[in-house]
Amino acid sequence: MPQTGKAALSVISQATVFPEGEVVPNLQSLAQILYFSAGVTKRKTYPGGELSFRAASCTGALYEIELYLVCGDLPDLEAGVYHFGPADLGLRKLRAGDYRRVLVRATGGEPAISHAPVTIIFTGTYWRNAWKYQARTYRHFGWDNGTILANLLAMCAALGLPARVVCSFVDSEVNRLLNLDTEREVAFSMVPLGYISRLPAEPAKEMAPLALETFPLSKTEVGYPAMREMHEASSLLSEEEVAAWRAQTLVAELPAPTGHTVPLEVLSEEEMSRDLIERVIFRRGSTRKFAQEAITFAQLSTMLDRSSRGIPADFLDPYGAQLNDMYVIVHAVEGLTSGAYVFHRRRGVLECLKEGNFRSEAYHLGLEQELPAEASLAVFFLADLRLILEHFGNRGYRAVQLEAGILGGKLYLAACAQRLGATGLTFFDDDVTTFFSPHAEGKCAIFLMALGRSARQRQR
Ligand SMILES: Cc1cc2nc3c(=O)[nH]c(=O)nc-3n(C[C@H](O)[C@H](O)[C@H](O)COP(=O)(O)O)c2cc1C
């Protein structure tokens, strides 16, 4: 596969690509995008057998997010609806013909979808994750879809392809196009890629049901009604509802700092790692043990700055808006007093909320795991869910989880590019809010990342 030659730290923070004319991906660029977002990048042998790990991190390595592709005729791929197989990097045709018009309608004429030669759709398969995590799987859809999207957006930026995360669509229409059994699998987000001026025509054929055989994941499945209810409650039912949803903007800024602030010291372009995006994704893995050593303030500043510059998404207008706030427990960062901080993105400063050694608190908050206690720092994403739900309705819940997954995925890449370790983590929701209060009062914990020097890297 050819290399893009682009540095990871540049492409993870690049703003939306605006097309200057038609941009149509070919099969090779699609292969690059799909492989580095959801392909198998490493295999590990255990006493019980072999485990395949993929390009993006995922709760429990259960990989419940599936990728589908809907395209018109591309230079070397016939128009159709395809399923992506990560194991063999293959596309399997589910429908022949151009069905992009179905997506234009389902998204209420979303401009990026209307002009995209190809759109990737992400679905979540309940049981694949729920056998282990039960009803909590519902939020995992957002996180695990999000980490894939962080890689995908970075690869698209590296290839100069316009891409945008679209969260608003008529669920039933998209599920029907993919012929999903919605008791088991549901569409969660989509990303239109590229740009062509001509709008797609109506499909030549009806969307008939597909008689596709699938292998059952288990002999029996346990139903967790809460996640299906949540999905249903956050579904959009008509084009009008979708258009109204997308017309909303929510720019929720943190209140001005009142405590001691420390300005970030972001590395300059010359000082920054030029490690290529493909190499970084290939090397990425979740740190299993941290070295309990300090990282530099410049490394921390670069990770925070590069991961939070903006995400092109239909729920984040204007570009640069963010639903999650980033709170940090600093254990060991050179030149920064240990303590709890909140990150003011727009101002580029960390505001100190309280000083102290909070390793044992981090151990507890991260579900009594050593990782957040032994890392150099832990970043907690918190959001004002009540405000988001008031604004976006129940669909806002999907958006806020998805955004956290994307931000977490970017942090993974920003850490790995600097030869640092990272891992996503689960947490005790309410205790996180209490720890960061009064500043975080009323907010909900959405996601957690531990960052630092990995013990394995030290041994090398
Ligand atoms: C949202 C999310 C939550 C995670 N939570 C934990 C956790 O609580 N404890 C843990 O040890 N690893 C956690 N992980 C790391 C996953 O176990 C890891 O991503 C997965 O095994 C795949 O391995 P890889 O990231 O090395 O490719 C989490 C990852 C993600 C994306």
Side-chain angles (χ1 to χ4, degrees):
M1 235 182 258
Q3 301 271 306
T4 59
K6 297 288 164 51
L9 286 174
S10 300
V11 290
I12 64 165
S13 55
Q14 202 165 300
T16 321
V17 178
F18 286 105
E20 292 168 14
E22 308 230 314
V23 190
V24 180
N26 59 16
L27 201 49
Q28 184 162 78
S29 42
L30 287 177
Q32 286 169 282
I33 292 167
L34 292 168
Y35 177 71
F36 286 105
S37 306
V40 174
T41 47
K42 71 183 170 209
R43 293 179 206 274
K44 277 192 187 164
T45 316
Y46 293 93
E50 194 187 61
L51 256 184
S52 300
F53 289 84
R54 301 196 192 171
S57 65
C58 177
T59 47
L62 294 170
Y63 306 114
E64 77 281 7
I65 304 296
E66 299 286 335
L67 276 64
Y68 296 82
L69 205 137
V70 178
C71 64
D73 275 323
L74 301 179
D76 43 10
L77 185 67
E78 283 173 9
V81 177
Y82 296 84
H83 175 251
F84 171 62
D88 60 0
L89 200 60
L91 289 174
R92 286 176 182 76
K93 197 185 277 172
L94 307 182
R95 293 184 192 278
D98 189 350
Y99 284 89
R100 288 174 300 148
R101 189 81 190 192
V102 176
L103 297 183
V104 176
R105 258 200 308 276
T107 58
E110 208 282 337
I113 294 273
S114 304
H115 292 282
V118 45
T119 292
I120 298 181
I121 305 177
F122 302 83
T123 68
T125 308
Y126 293 116
W127 180 243
R128 204 168 156 126
N129 197 273
W131 69 265
K132 181 168 180 190
Y133 295 107
Q134 305 180 357
R136 272 184 297 149
T137 288
Y138 195 66
R139 57 169 108 167
H140 294 189
F141 279 2
W143 298 348
D144 296 333
N145 189 171
T147 56
I148 295 173
L149 288 175
N151 287 20
L152 183 132
L153 291 171
M155 284 304 295
C156 288
L159 289 161
L161 264 182
R164 181 175 170 79
V165 179
V166 174
C167 192
S168 58
F169 49 86
V170 180
D171 294 76
S172 57
E173 284 301 292
V174 178
N175 292 334
R176 201 156 72 86
L177 174 65
L178 303 179
N179 194 60
L180 303 181
D181 169 1
T182 54
E183 278 298 296
R184 297 202 153 78
E185 183 182 0
V186 283
F188 202 82
S189 74
M190 55 179 92
V191 175
L193 300 178
Y195 179 86
I196 46 172
S197 48
R198 222 177 74 201
L199 297 174
E202 281 298 331
K205 276 185 270 167
E206 280 279 294
M207 269 200 314
L210 303 170
L212 297 172
E213 254 186 79
T214 51
F215 291 104
L217 292 167
S218 313
K219 279 196 202 118
T220 53
E221 295 186 11
V222 181
Y224 295 101
M227 44 187 201
R228 289 182 178 87
E229 278 162 26
M230 186 54 209
H231 194 74
E232 183 132 355
S234 59
S235 289
L236 299 174
L237 305 180
S238 66
E239 278 183 61
E240 295 70 38
E241 209 182 331
V242 168
W245 193 87
R246 217 175 36 245
Q248 321 248 13
T249 54
L250 175 62
V251 183
E253 296 294 342
L254 285 170
T258 52
H260 173 62
T261 59
V262 186
L264 295 191
E265 288 170 15
V266 181
L267 290 166
S268 68
E269 285 290 336
E270 294 72 44
E271 293 166 315
M272 220 174 261
S273 148
R274 304 292 309 159
D275 220 347
L276 301 183
I277 182 66
E278 290 92 336
R279 281 228 296 271
V280 169
I281 292 178
F282 208 68
R283 202 171 62 226
R284 189 212 61 79
S286 295
T287 300
R288 301 293 82 195
K289 180 139 187 78
F290 285 100
Q292 293 207 41
E293 286 176 0
I295 64 166
T296 67
F297 185 51
Q299 286 172 323
L300 167 61
S301 301
T302 304
M303 290 192 282
L304 291 177
D305 171 66
R306 290 281 153 154
S307 61
S308 65
R309 288 213 186 162
I311 299 167
D314 63 350
F315 53 91
L316 294 174
D317 273 329
Y319 181 78
Q322 198 171 292
L323 304 180
N324 283 275
D325 296 321
M326 291 153 96
Y327 288 77
V328 188
I329 300 184
V330 172
H331 303 314
V333 175
E334 285 166 17
L336 188 63
T337 308
S338 298
Y341 293 81
V342 58
F343 174 42
H344 293 263
R345 272 181 329 125
R346 305 270 189 202
R347 296 168 198 260
V349 300
L350 283 165
E351 176 188 357
C352 185
L353 302 178
K354 51 189 169 188
E355 289 184 3
N357 177 339
F358 296 117
R359 284 196 194 267
S360 61
E361 286 80 355
Y363 166 82
H364 169 71
L365 297 178
L367 226 57
E368 317 247 300
Q369 299 181 81
E370 301 292 350
L371 288 159
E374 293 184 345
S376 306
L377 66 131
V379 180
F380 294 79
F381 298 99
L382 282 90
D384 188 339
L385 255 193
R386 211 177 40 187
L387 179 72
I388 291 166
L389 296 180
E390 260 170 32
H391 208 83
F392 288 110
N394 288 337
R395 189 67 153 222
Y397 186 76
R398 295 194 202 175
V400 75
Q401 304 292 349
L402 194 62
E403 185 201 73
I406 298 173
L407 293 169
K410 286 184 184 227
L411 278 176
Y412 260 108
L413 298 176
C416 188
Q418 301 189 89
R419 301 261 166 194
L420 297 174
T423 185
L425 290 166
T426 18
F427 43 85
F428 287 119
D429 300 45
D430 293 347
D431 293 353
V432 172
T433 303
T434 307
F435 176 81
F436 288 107
S437 288
H439 196 281
E441 231 153 56
K443 293 185 191 173
C444 295
I446 306 289
F447 190 42
L448 163 58
M449 287 288 301
L451 301 158
R453 213 167 277 288
S454 115
R456 249 174 91 200
Q457 270 164 345
R458 198 180 47 171
Q459 284 160 10
R460 280 193 197 139

PDB file of all heavy atoms in Angstrom, residues 294-311:
ATOM      1  N   ALA A 294       7.518  10.656  34.605  1.00  0.00           N
ATOM      2  CA  ALA A 294       6.957  11.928  34.129  1.00  0.00           C
ATOM      3  C   ALA A 294       7.107  12.061  32.619  1.00  0.00           C
ATOM      4  O   ALA A 294       8.047  11.537  32.019  1.00  0.00           O
ATOM      5  CB  ALA A 294       7.681  13.080  34.816  1.00  0.00           C
ATOM      6  N   ILE A 295       6.169  12.760  32.013  1.00  0.00           N
ATOM      7  CA  ILE A 295       6.339  13.211  30.632  1.00  0.00           C
ATOM      8  C   ILE A 295       6.582  14.719  30.706  1.00  0.00           C
ATOM      9  O   ILE A 295       6.430  15.327  31.772  1.00  0.00           O
ATOM     10  CB  ILE A 295       5.113  12.885  29.748  1.00  0.00           C
ATOM     11  CG1 ILE A 295       3.853  13.639  30.214  1.00  0.00           C
ATOM     12  CG2 ILE A 295       4.855  11.383  29.719  1.00  0.00           C
ATOM     13  CD1 ILE A 295       2.711  13.620  29.191  1.00  0.00           C
ATOM     14  N   THR A 296       6.925  15.330  29.579  1.00  0.00           N
ATOM     15  CA  THR A 296       7.186  16.773  29.639  1.00  0.00           C
ATOM     16  C   THR A 296       5.875  17.544  29.456  1.00  0.00           C
ATOM     17  O   THR A 296       4.901  17.019  28.899  1.00  0.00           O
ATOM     18  CB  THR A 296       8.172  17.213  28.533  1.00  0.00           C
ATOM     19  OG1 THR A 296       7.528  17.053  27.266  1.00  0.00           O
ATOM     20  CG2 THR A 296       9.457  16.391  28.576  1.00  0.00           C
ATOM     21  N   PHE A 297       5.894  18.800  29.898  1.00  0.00           N
ATOM     22  CA  PHE A 297       4.698  19.631  29.747  1.00  0.00           C
ATOM     23  C   PHE A 297       4.420  19.887  28.271  1.00  0.00           C
ATOM     24  O   PHE A 297       3.264  19.980  27.844  1.00  0.00           O
ATOM     25  CB  PHE A 297       4.873  20.952  30.522  1.00  0.00           C
ATOM     26  CG  PHE A 297       3.643  21.800  30.506  1.00  0.00           C
ATOM     27  CD1 PHE A 297       2.401  21.273  30.854  1.00  0.00           C
ATOM     28  CD2 PHE A 297       3.704  23.139  30.133  1.00  0.00           C
ATOM     29  CE1 PHE A 297       1.244  22.054  30.822  1.00  0.00           C
ATOM     30  CE2 PHE A 297       2.559  23.925  30.108  1.00  0.00           C
ATOM     31  CZ  PHE A 297       1.327  23.385  30.446  1.00  0.00           C
ATOM     32  N   ALA A 298       5.502  19.958  27.472  1.00  0.00           N
ATOM     33  CA  ALA A 298       5.321  20.182  26.028  1.00  0.00           C
ATOM     34  C   ALA A 298       4.609  18.986  25.396  1.00  0.00           C
ATOM     35  O   ALA A 298       3.764  19.160  24.511  1.00  0.00           O
ATOM     36  CB  ALA A 298       6.671  20.420  25.369  1.00  0.00           C
ATOM     37  N   GLN A 299       4.937  17.786  25.853  1.00  0.00           N
ATOM     38  CA  GLN A 299       4.247  16.594  25.300  1.00  0.00           C
ATOM     39  C   GLN A 299       2.759  16.625  25.650  1.00  0.00           C
ATOM     40  O   GLN A 299       1.907  16.363  24.803  1.00  0.00           O
ATOM     41  CB  GLN A 299       4.887  15.308  25.856  1.00  0.00           C
ATOM     42  CG  GLN A 299       6.240  15.007  25.237  1.00  0.00           C
ATOM     43  CD  GLN A 299       6.953  13.840  25.930  1.00  0.00           C
ATOM     44  OE1 GLN A 299       6.873  13.685  27.150  1.00  0.00           O
ATOM     45  NE2 GLN A 299       7.647  13.032  25.145  1.00  0.00           N
ATOM     46  N   LEU A 300       2.469  16.947  26.911  1.00  0.00           N
ATOM     47  CA  LEU A 300       1.057  17.035  27.318  1.00  0.00           C
ATOM     48  C   LEU A 300       0.344  18.136  26.520  1.00  0.00           C
ATOM     49  O   LEU A 300      -0.763  17.932  25.994  1.00  0.00           O
ATOM     50  CB  LEU A 300       0.962  17.332  28.826  1.00  0.00           C
ATOM     51  CG  LEU A 300      -0.425  17.763  29.316  1.00  0.00           C
ATOM     52  CD1 LEU A 300      -1.469  16.681  29.067  1.00  0.00           C
ATOM     53  CD2 LEU A 300      -0.404  18.113  30.800  1.00  0.00           C
ATOM     54  N   SER A 301       0.989  19.303  26.419  1.00  0.00           N
ATOM     55  CA  SER A 301       0.373  20.435  25.708  1.00  0.00           C
ATOM     56  C   SER A 301       0.067  20.039  24.272  1.00  0.00           C
ATOM     57  O   SER A 301      -1.012  20.358  23.747  1.00  0.00           O
ATOM     58  CB  SER A 301       1.324  21.633  25.693  1.00  0.00           C
ATOM     59  OG  SER A 301       1.639  22.021  27.000  1.00  0.00           O
ATOM     60  N   THR A 302       1.004  19.353  23.631  1.00  0.00           N
ATOM     61  CA  THR A 302       0.830  18.978  22.224  1.00  0.00           C
ATOM     62  C   THR A 302      -0.330  17.998  22.076  1.00  0.00           C
ATOM     63  O   THR A 302      -1.140  18.113  21.146  1.00  0.00           O
ATOM     64  CB  THR A 302       2.154  18.384  21.688  1.00  0.00           C
ATOM     65  OG1 THR A 302       3.180  19.367  21.909  1.00  0.00           O
ATOM     66  CG2 THR A 302       2.075  18.051  20.213  1.00  0.00           C
ATOM     67  N   MET A 303      -0.443  17.050  22.993  1.00  0.00           N
ATOM     68  CA  MET A 303      -1.559  16.085  22.922  1.00  0.00           C
ATOM     69  C   MET A 303      -2.902  16.790  23.073  1.00  0.00           C
ATOM     70  O   MET A 303      -3.834  16.539  22.317  1.00  0.00           O
ATOM     71  CB  MET A 303      -1.407  15.007  24.002  1.00  0.00           C
ATOM     72  CG  MET A 303      -0.259  14.053  23.743  1.00  0.00           C
ATOM     73  SD  MET A 303      -0.301  12.610  24.811  1.00  0.00           S
ATOM     74  CE  MET A 303       0.325  13.252  26.352  1.00  0.00           C
ATOM     75  N   LEU A 304      -3.003  17.687  24.070  1.00  0.00           N
ATOM     76  CA  LEU A 304      -4.281  18.362  24.303  1.00  0.00           C
ATOM     77  C   LEU A 304      -4.636  19.261  23.123  1.00  0.00           C
ATOM     78  O   LEU A 304      -5.763  19.263  22.631  1.00  0.00           O
ATOM     79  CB  LEU A 304      -4.219  19.199  25.585  1.00  0.00           C
ATOM     80  CG  LEU A 304      -4.140  18.430  26.906  1.00  0.00           C
ATOM     81  CD1 LEU A 304      -4.022  19.398  28.082  1.00  0.00           C
ATOM     82  CD2 LEU A 304      -5.370  17.536  27.093  1.00  0.00           C
ATOM     83  N   ASP A 305      -3.642  20.011  22.662  1.00  0.00           N
ATOM     84  CA  ASP A 305      -3.890  20.960  21.572  1.00  0.00           C
ATOM     85  C   ASP A 305      -4.261  20.235  20.282  1.00  0.00           C
ATOM     86  O   ASP A 305      -5.261  20.563  19.633  1.00  0.00           O
ATOM     87  CB  ASP A 305      -2.631  21.807  21.374  1.00  0.00           C
ATOM     88  CG  ASP A 305      -2.729  22.658  20.133  1.00  0.00           C
ATOM     89  OD1 ASP A 305      -3.586  23.550  20.114  1.00  0.00           O
ATOM     90  OD2 ASP A 305      -1.979  22.411  19.158  1.00  0.00           O
ATOM     91  N   ARG A 306      -3.486  19.238  19.912  1.00  0.00           N
ATOM     92  CA  ARG A 306      -3.684  18.581  18.615  1.00  0.00           C
ATOM     93  C   ARG A 306      -4.975  17.744  18.559  1.00  0.00           C
ATOM     94  O   ARG A 306      -5.515  17.533  17.490  1.00  0.00           O
ATOM     95  CB  ARG A 306      -2.475  17.699  18.284  1.00  0.00           C
ATOM     96  CG  ARG A 306      -1.233  18.512  17.977  1.00  0.00           C
ATOM     97  CD  ARG A 306      -1.299  19.038  16.560  1.00  0.00           C
ATOM     98  NE  ARG A 306      -0.538  20.250  16.406  1.00  0.00           N
ATOM     99  CZ  ARG A 306      -0.007  20.652  15.248  1.00  0.00           C
ATOM    100  NH1 ARG A 306      -0.135  19.927  14.161  1.00  0.00           N
ATOM    101  NH2 ARG A 306       0.632  21.788  15.169  1.00  0.00           N
ATOM    102  N   SER A 307      -5.412  17.271  19.703  1.00  0.00           N
ATOM    103  CA  SER A 307      -6.610  16.420  19.666  1.00  0.00           C
ATOM    104  C   SER A 307      -7.902  17.219  19.728  1.00  0.00           C
ATOM    105  O   SER A 307      -8.975  16.679  19.458  1.00  0.00           O
ATOM    106  CB  SER A 307      -6.567  15.410  20.819  1.00  0.00           C
ATOM    107  OG  SER A 307      -6.546  16.109  22.034  1.00  0.00           O
ATOM    108  N   SER A 308      -7.821  18.496  20.062  1.00  0.00           N
ATOM    109  CA  SER A 308      -9.072  19.219  20.353  1.00  0.00           C
ATOM    110  C   SER A 308      -9.302  20.408  19.430  1.00  0.00           C
ATOM    111  O   SER A 308     -10.005  21.344  19.792  1.00  0.00           O
ATOM    112  CB  SER A 308      -9.053  19.689  21.810  1.00  0.00           C
ATOM    113  OG  SER A 308      -8.019  20.632  21.985  1.00  0.00           O
ATOM    114  N   ARG A 309      -8.713  20.386  18.252  1.00  0.00           N
ATOM    115  CA  ARG A 309      -8.837  21.566  17.377  1.00  0.00           C
ATOM    116  C   ARG A 309     -10.131  21.604  16.581  1.00  0.00           C
ATOM    117  O   ARG A 309     -10.460  22.623  15.982  1.00  0.00           O
ATOM    118  CB  ARG A 309      -7.663  21.593  16.415  1.00  0.00           C
ATOM    119  CG  ARG A 309      -6.373  21.954  17.114  1.00  0.00           C
ATOM    120  CD  ARG A 309      -5.513  22.720  16.184  1.00  0.00           C
ATOM    121  NE  ARG A 309      -4.218  22.981  16.754  1.00  0.00           N
ATOM    122  CZ  ARG A 309      -3.184  23.331  16.011  1.00  0.00           C
ATOM    123  NH1 ARG A 309      -3.303  23.408  14.698  1.00  0.00           N
ATOM    124  NH2 ARG A 309      -2.037  23.586  16.588  1.00  0.00           N
ATOM    125  N   GLY A 310     -10.833  20.487  16.507  1.00  0.00           N
ATOM    126  CA  GLY A 310     -12.110  20.511  15.796  1.00  0.00           C
ATOM    127  C   GLY A 310     -12.381  19.217  15.071  1.00  0.00           C
ATOM    128  O   GLY A 310     -11.452  18.514  14.662  1.00  0.00           O
ATOM    129  N   ILE A 311     -13.655  18.902  14.934  1.00  0.00           N
ATOM    130  CA  ILE A 311     -14.100  17.678  14.248  1.00  0.00           C
ATOM    131  C   ILE A 311     -15.158  18.107  13.242  1.00  0.00           C
ATOM    132  O   ILE A 311     -16.125  18.783  13.625  1.00  0.00           O
ATOM    133  CB  ILE A 311     -14.707  16.684  15.263  1.00  0.00           C
ATOM    134  CG1 ILE A 311     -13.685  16.268  16.319  1.00  0.00           C
ATOM    135  CG2 ILE A 311     -15.279  15.454  14.546  1.00  0.00           C
ATOM    136  CD1 ILE A 311     -14.292  15.547  17.516  1.00  0.00           C
TER     137      ILE A 311
END
